[in-house]
Amino acid sequence: MNQTAREAYNAVQRGLNFLRERQLSNGGFSTLTAQAINCTNEEMQVFDYGDKKGTVEEDPYSVFPAAVIGLSLLHAAGFGCTPEILQGITRFLLENRSRFSIWQHFTKKHFLHTIHPSDVDDTALASSFLTQMGIPFPDNRKAILANKTPQRLIYTWFAFRKDLNFHPVYWYYCLQELKSPLKSYFFWKHLECERDDLDAVVNANVLSYIGLNDMTTPIVHWMNQVISDGVEHRCDKWYLKASVVYYFFSRNYHLGFEGLEPMRQTMRERALSSFQDDGSVEGHPLDTALMVCTLLNLHCREDIPSKAIEFLLGQQKPQGSWAKRLLYHGGRKRIMGWGSEELTTGFCVEALFRHAEKRTVDNLNP
């Protein structure tokens, strides 16, 4: 084992210890909600400059962080304290599963849980994690695929629309709105969510969970088109950064789904061009880790700049974490977004462990 791989494993161990310490008693993870007026709050800082204000609040009631961190840590499933963390995430996701194995962004203890619509993204991510953990749960794939457009792309929300949908699970969740019609009305009116939201990364996460078949082939075509047209910055209302889009898109290539070869070379070139002279992407460990993972998913490990790994190792904090930054947003206006040290740390752990693991295996082979 060379020195870089040894340092990477040590960094991964410290990162895992940080995540274990920060994991909530229910197995979930807190995230931070950043809001800004008349500006953006990408670095999640509190500020007040005249009419420009930024606030950051802790949110321990979201499903998404646990599911995403869990999927990253599955790459290091037998390393260090990872098994304990994964077991906690499993317990958390099962406790916050609603009927018919459907999830929403907020946990059952959040005040918006009763009026916030359930969504395909959290459902697909949570289901992917539990499936890879070997945890049985009622099959929700038909309900997800039934929530489709005439072109067989998947809507983001389980919500009332004009499209015909006769699946009973869809109607069960749509009818929940009738319990609080006034609150539901203001939810759709004042937030950027729309009933017919159609998002490319959400569809990519559906593909990762359900796999490639006749029903999901249109998602493959859409992903290729997004990359070909260069519209990754506006293909999804919630994931607004190219690094995030590439990460989730490339997971499907790593899974071996046919038809994604057209996007591979373009994503590779754009990912490589994003690395700066110091090895970072946008000068931050979050985007750097996402791009490293993207290249690993595209089977381009040898293309990863050695300085990128050095940058990640150098950016780790004494407590084992990496800096917070917005990962996903509440809409294209960028008024609200979520991120945390825990989320960044999960991606950094994935990037460093996978890179070091492959290097170690190569060195052991004659």
Side-chain angles (χ1 to χ4, degrees):
M1 185 187 302
N2 64 25
Q3 183 64 26
T4 302
R6 186 176 294 108
E7 291 177 2
Y9 282 131
N10 289 337
V12 167
Q13 184 69 70
R14 294 196 300 273
L16 290 170
N17 290 339
F18 167 80
L19 289 173
R20 186 69 187 93
E21 292 173 2
R22 297 296 289 267
Q23 191 168 25
L24 302 174
S25 59
N26 62 8
F29 286 94
S30 287
T31 186
L32 297 173
T33 304
Q35 299 185 61
I37 307 299
N38 299 331
C39 54
T40 59
N41 199 357
E42 192 72 21
E43 303 305 326
M44 310 192 77
Q45 301 296 325
V46 177
F47 56 85
D48 188 346
Y49 307 131
D51 63 340
K52 296 182 178 181
K53 304 180 187 298
T55 62
V56 180
E57 298 179 355
E58 185 172 6
D59 170 19
Y61 302 113
S62 294
V63 169
F64 180 89
V68 173
I69 292 171
L71 287 169
S72 287
L73 298 193
L74 281 171
H75 293 282
F79 187 82
C81 60
T82 308
E84 292 85 354
I85 300 173
L86 295 179
Q87 288 300 322
I89 293 173
T90 299
R91 184 177 71 255
F92 170 79
L93 293 178
L94 289 175
E95 288 177 353
N96 285 283
R97 176 186 57 177
S98 298
R99 292 191 64 181
F100 312 112
S101 296
I102 301 296
W103 281 263
Q104 64 156 267
H105 184 75
F106 295 117
T107 67
K108 295 178 179 179
K109 292 185 178 181
H110 195 279
F111 73 96
L112 284 176
H113 181 82
T114 56
I115 61 172
H116 195 282
S118 296
D119 68 278
V120 165
D121 199 31
D122 285 283
T123 297
L125 292 168
S127 299
S128 291
F129 173 80
L130 293 175
T131 298
Q132 293 181 57
M133 284 290 290
I135 306 299
F137 58 94
D139 191 354
N140 55 16
R141 291 172 295 179
K142 290 183 179 179
I144 293 173
L145 292 175
N147 196 44
K148 66 183 187 300
T149 70
Q151 294 75 35
R152 290 184 295 165
L153 298 174
I154 309 301
Y155 287 115
T156 297
W157 309 103
F158 291 97
F160 281 120
R161 286 183 300 274
K162 295 179 180 179
D163 302 81
L164 293 178
N165 187 339
F166 299 105
H167 200 280
V169 173
Y170 167 80
W171 281 104
Y172 173 83
Y173 280 97
C174 286
L175 291 172
Q176 300 303 305
E177 289 189 47
L178 300 181
K179 293 182 177 180
S180 304
L182 189 59
K183 291 181 180 180
S184 179
Y185 168 78
F186 282 106
F187 173 86
W188 292 109
K189 181 176 178 61
H190 292 290
L191 298 181
E192 291 190 62
C193 309
E194 296 181 52
R195 296 177 184 275
D196 59 353
D197 279 332
L198 195 61
D199 303 293
V201 176
V202 175
N203 274 258
N205 291 338
V206 169
L207 179 62
S208 296
Y209 167 47
I210 294 179
L212 184 61
N213 56 41
D214 291 342
M215 294 296 294
T216 56
T217 298
I219 299 176
V220 171
H221 298 325
W222 190 18
M223 292 166 61
N224 283 326
Q225 192 67 49
V226 165
I227 300 302
S228 174
D229 293 346
V231 294
E232 48 266 51
H233 293 86
R234 51 188 175 88
C235 69
D236 194 286
K237 188 181 284 187
W238 326 108
Y239 302 101
L240 303 178
K241 298 167 65 68
S243 58
V244 182
V245 175
Y246 294 162
Y247 173 82
F248 284 111
F249 272 30
S250 66
R251 287 172 67 230
N252 289 282
Y253 187 88
H254 183 68
L255 290 170
F257 298 146
E258 295 181 359
L260 289 171
E261 194 64 34
M263 75 174 188
R264 177 180 181 271
Q265 187 60 25
T266 302
M267 286 179 60
R268 171 185 173 274
E269 293 173 357
R270 291 176 186 166
L272 288 173
S273 68
S274 68
F275 288 97
Q276 300 172 3
D277 291 342
D278 64 352
S280 75
V281 177
E282 296 189 14
H284 201 279
L286 173 61
D287 300 277
T288 306
L290 290 169
M291 285 301 194
V292 168
C293 290
T294 293
L295 290 172
L296 289 168
N297 288 336
L298 296 177
H299 306 162
C300 299
R301 183 197 171 284
E302 298 304 321
D303 293 328
I304 297 171
S306 59
K307 285 188 175 181
I309 303 304
E310 294 170 6
F311 176 80
L312 290 177
L313 292 173
Q315 289 292 307
Q316 189 174 29
K317 297 181 178 182
Q319 67 267 36
S321 66
W322 281 267
K324 65 182 182 293
R325 200 181 203 194
L326 288 185
L327 177 68
Y328 60 107
H329 295 75
R332 294 192 177 96
K333 295 180 181 178
R334 297 176 181 262
I335 296 173
M336 179 181 296
W338 292 265
S340 65
E341 288 189 352
E342 291 90 330
L343 279 164
T344 302
T345 299
F347 291 118
C348 289
V349 164
E350 177 185 348
L352 290 173
F353 184 86
R354 292 177 65 189
H355 186 269
E357 183 182 41
K358 182 65 168 60
R359 179 180 288 270
T360 302
V361 171
D362 288 345
N363 290 341
L364 291 175
N365 288 333

